């Protein structure tokens, strides 16, 4: 019966996505639907069919799973419908239609893009110098992320690496703007440089999600502009995203040996691939990657804890302060990991539903889901309203959709703020420097 409930929800979401009216080919709710299915009902379906009811053994070792519990599917159903209701509230559209951006100083966009790229390069140079050079910095990236070695003194500059992403978006918007009369060759050269800097940033941070969003943004903007999918380009991007998603960990693990030469990197990469193939067997890599939010629901309903209320948002903002000034307490991911596997050596993101349960229990989950849906529609409407007037707004539209929907998986304010710090700060200065905000009832 519960299996049918999970299957029914997946089918309902698929039908709803293909039949509902959308302002663009893919909108905010489209991304949410995809990630929500991957994070919640699909792991439930796969768990019923998997051998020994096993999906992700590293998480299941510390979690009590009752497949017949009605609470988990009920929470998943309620969350989805409350988010969807919030997304379709007329008040979200009415509020968004009062926000107007009037572009000014559009000629300074390329200057701003160059500043972002240079700032990213400067941050990379400082960080590399602290690690004994660029090669050593790339070699240490995976070890630093796994906390095997301590971060260097000026590791805070890593927050500015991805400013080159915004530089790429702005240059791309100018390059493919049909109204632009600028010379294309200098733009193309600068754009290619921004891609190289972004690739270095990606290697130094050693996180697959960053490059996935970066690559995906270009394709989604292209498809939204065209109003349709190009099968050739779509197949290329799906192949690229599949390679990054499937072998990203192995690539970063192999780069540890970069200082020993390319042969050492390739040999270790092949060894990692072979080891993982033997260990994983027939398990679904994609569902394994997204299964943590599903299992976290069992941890949230079976554990005893005090409600966190809005403390995680306060700790998220406090995490930007240096530790010698204020050491921010652990956030929801830390406690979720403890409830799941009883360890503090790493953190497992709680996912949307569990994060809300830890914070405000069932009533808070419903209220937050409604507010979350409203916020997504508000941001979508604001950016969509200006996407045809301001050439760079489509990139803001797409990347904002990716960030908003990503919260479904991570749902930790600290992760959200730290991961996308570059986007928030670059957007703020972009709007301040190149547009004028007007609040009016007339649009």
């Amino acid at each position: 019966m519960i299996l049918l409930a999970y299957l029914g929800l997946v089918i309902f979401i698929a039908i709803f996505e293909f039949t509902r009216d959308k302002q663009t080919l893919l909108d905010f709710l489209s991304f949410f639907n995809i990630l929500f299915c991957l994070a919640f009902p699909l792991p439930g379906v796969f768990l019923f069919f998997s051998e020994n009811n096993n999906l992700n053994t590293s998480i299941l070792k510390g979690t009590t799973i009752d497949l017949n519990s009605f609470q988990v599917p009920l929470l998943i159903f309620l969350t989805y419908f409350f988010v969807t209701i919030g997304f379709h509230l007329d008040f979200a559209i009415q509020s968004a239609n009062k926000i107007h951006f009037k572009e000014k100083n559009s000629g300074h966009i390329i200057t701003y893009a160059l500043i972002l790229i240079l700032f990213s390069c400067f941050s990379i140079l400082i960080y590399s110098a602290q690690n004994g050079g660029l090669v050593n910095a790339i070699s240490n990236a995976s070890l630093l992320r796994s906390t095997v070695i301590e971060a260097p003194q000026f590791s805070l500059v890593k927050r500015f690496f991805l400013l080159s992403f915004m530089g790429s978006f702005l240059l791309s918007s100018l390059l493919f703007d049909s109204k632009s009369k600028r010379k294309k060759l200098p733009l193309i050269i600068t754009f290619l440089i921004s891609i190289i800097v972004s690739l270095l940033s990606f290697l130094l941070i050693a996180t697959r999600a960053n490059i996935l969003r970066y690559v995906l943004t270009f394709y989604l903007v292209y498809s939204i502009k065209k109003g349709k999918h190009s099968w050739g380009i779509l197949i290329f991007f799906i192949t690229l995203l599949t390679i990054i998603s499937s072998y990203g960990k192995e690539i970063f693990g192999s780069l540890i040996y970069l200082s020993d030469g390319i042969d050492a990197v390739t040999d270790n990469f092949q060894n990692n691939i072979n080891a993982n193939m033997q260990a994983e067997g027939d398990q679904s890599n994609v569902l394994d990657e997204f299964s943590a939010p599903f299992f976290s629901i069992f941890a949230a309903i079976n554990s005893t804890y005090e409600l966190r209320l809005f403390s995680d948002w306060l700790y998220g903002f406090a995490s930007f302060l240096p530790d010698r000034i204020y050491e921010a307490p652990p956030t929801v991911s830390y406690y979720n990991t403890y409830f799941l596997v009883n360890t503090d050596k790493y953190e497992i993101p709680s996912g949307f539903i569990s994060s809300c349960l830890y914070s405000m229990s069932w009533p808070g989950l419903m209220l937050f889901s409604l507010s979350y849906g409203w916020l997504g529609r508000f941001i979508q409407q604001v950016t969509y309203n200006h996407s045809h007037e301001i050439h760079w707004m489509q990139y803001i539209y797409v990347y904002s959709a990716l960030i908003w929907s990503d919260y479904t998986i991570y749902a930790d304010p600290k992760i959200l703020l730290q991961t996308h710090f570059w986007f928030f700060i670059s957007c703020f200065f972009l709007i301040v420097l190149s547009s004028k905000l007007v609040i009016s009832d007339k649009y």
Side-chain angles (χ1 to χ4, degrees), residues 13 40 62 105 115 175 179 219 247 250 269 291 294 323 362:
I13 292 174
F40 298 113
N105 300 327
I115 291 173
L175 190 60
K179 299 178 182 178
Y219 171 73
Y247 301 109
E250 288 77 10
F269 175 74
S291 62
F294 176 77
D323 290 342
W362 284 58

Side-chain angles (χ1 to χ4, degrees), residues 26 62 83 85 177 188 209 223 268 274 283 290 327 384 403 411:
L26 294 170
V83 170
I85 291 170
D177 182 15
I188 292 174
S223 62
N268 279 277
N274 294 336
Q283 295 295 321
F290 290 90
E327 186 172 354
Y384 174 79
I403 293 175

Side-chain angles (χ1 to χ4, degrees), residues 372-397:
Y372 176 78
W374 178 92
L375 179 63
R377 186 53 178 267
F378 175 81
I379 299 173
Q380 172 180 303
Q381 196 65 36
V382 170
T383 51
Y384 174 79
N385 287 343
H386 300 86
S387 60
H388 299 293
E389 303 169 4
I390 303 177
H391 57 85
W392 43 262
M393 190 60 78
Q394 288 182 333
Y395 290 85
I396 306 301
Y397 175 92

Side-chain angles (χ1 to χ4, degrees), residues 106-107 110 171-188 391:
S106 59
I110 189 169
L171 291 170
S172 178
S173 69
L174 290 169
L175 190 60
F176 297 103
D177 182 15
S178 58
K179 299 178 182 178
S180 176
K181 297 181 180 179
R182 294 179 175 85
K183 293 182 179 180
K184 296 297 184 181
L185 183 58
L187 279 176
I188 292 174
H391 57 85

Side-chain angles (χ1 to χ4, degrees), residues 29-310:
L29 193 58
S30 300
F31 300 126
F32 174 79
N33 285 337
I34 294 170
L35 290 182
F36 189 86
C37 283
L38 286 172
F40 298 113
L42 279 178
V45 171
F46 194 79
L47 194 60
F48 274 94
F49 288 113
S50 60
E51 185 179 357
N52 299 323
N53 291 333
N54 189 13
L55 181 64
N56 191 322
T57 54
S58 64
I59 295 177
L60 281 175
K61 285 179 180 177
T63 310
T64 301
I65 300 296
D66 181 9
L67 290 179
N68 297 316
S69 171
F70 71 93
Q71 292 187 67
V72 175
L74 180 60
L75 284 165
I76 293 173
F77 269 79
L78 289 174
T79 300
Y80 181 78
F81 287 115
F82 270 88
V83 170
T84 305
I85 291 170
F87 187 83
H88 287 90
L89 288 176
D90 291 337
F91 179 62
I93 300 175
Q94 294 168 1
S95 301
N97 287 339
K98 296 179 181 180
I99 307 298
H100 313 279
F101 293 109
K102 295 185 177 180
E103 192 173 20
K104 62 177 183 179
N105 300 327
S106 59
H108 295 166
I109 292 296
I110 189 169
T111 303
Y112 181 61
L114 289 171
I115 291 173
L116 292 175
I117 296 169
L118 289 173
F119 208 98
S120 178
C121 289
F122 185 64
S123 301
I124 290 173
L125 288 173
I126 294 176
Y127 183 78
S128 299
Q130 288 289 307
N131 282 273
L134 182 61
V135 173
N136 284 337
I138 295 174
S139 300
N140 293 337
S142 184
L143 297 175
L144 282 167
R145 189 167 182 268
S146 304
T147 66
V148 174
I149 59 177
E150 294 184 2
Q153 183 178 1
F154 295 105
S155 59
L156 293 178
V157 297
K158 291 176 68 175
R159 294 173 181 164
F160 302 100
F161 286 177
L162 300 184
L163 290 176
S164 59
F165 279 23
M166 181 61 77
S168 291
F169 297 156
L170 294 177
L171 291 170
S172 178
S173 69
L174 290 169
L175 190 60
F176 297 103
D177 182 15
S178 58
K179 299 178 182 178
S180 176
K181 297 181 180 179
R182 294 179 175 85
K183 293 182 179 180
K184 296 297 184 181
L185 183 58
L187 279 176
I188 292 174
I189 294 173
T190 312
F191 177 62
L192 292 175
I193 292 173
S194 73
I195 293 177
I196 295 172
V197 176
S198 298
L199 179 60
L200 289 175
S201 302
F202 158 64
L203 293 175
L204 289 168
I205 295 176
T207 305
R208 289 172 297 169
N210 290 321
I211 197 66
L212 288 172
R213 296 188 199 100
Y214 181 67
V215 172
L216 194 58
T217 299
F218 288 110
Y219 171 73
L220 292 173
V221 170
Y222 169 84
S223 62
I224 287 173
K225 282 185 175 181
K226 295 294 183 181
K228 61 181 180 179
H229 294 291
S230 170
W231 286 109
I233 297 177
L234 180 60
I235 291 172
F236 169 77
F237 273 97
I238 289 177
T239 303
L240 182 61
L241 293 174
T242 302
I243 292 172
I244 295 172
S245 179
S246 301
Y247 301 109
K249 288 183 179 179
E250 288 77 10
I251 292 172
F252 289 127
S254 302
L255 288 175
I256 295 174
Y257 303 93
L258 184 61
S259 57
D260 297 330
I262 298 298
D263 290 339
V265 173
T266 54
D267 289 343
N268 279 277
F269 175 74
Q270 187 60 51
N271 291 335
N272 289 337
I273 294 294
N274 294 336
N276 286 337
M277 289 179 64
Q278 293 175 0
E280 291 176 359
D282 295 327
Q283 295 295 321
S284 170
N285 290 335
V286 175
L287 286 176
D288 279 355
E289 291 290 334
F290 290 90
S291 62
F294 176 77
F295 292 121
S296 296
I297 303 177
F298 291 93
I301 63 177
N302 293 328
S303 304
T304 303
Y305 48 83
E306 295 183 2
L307 296 182
R308 301 183 62 77
L309 300 178
F310 298 101

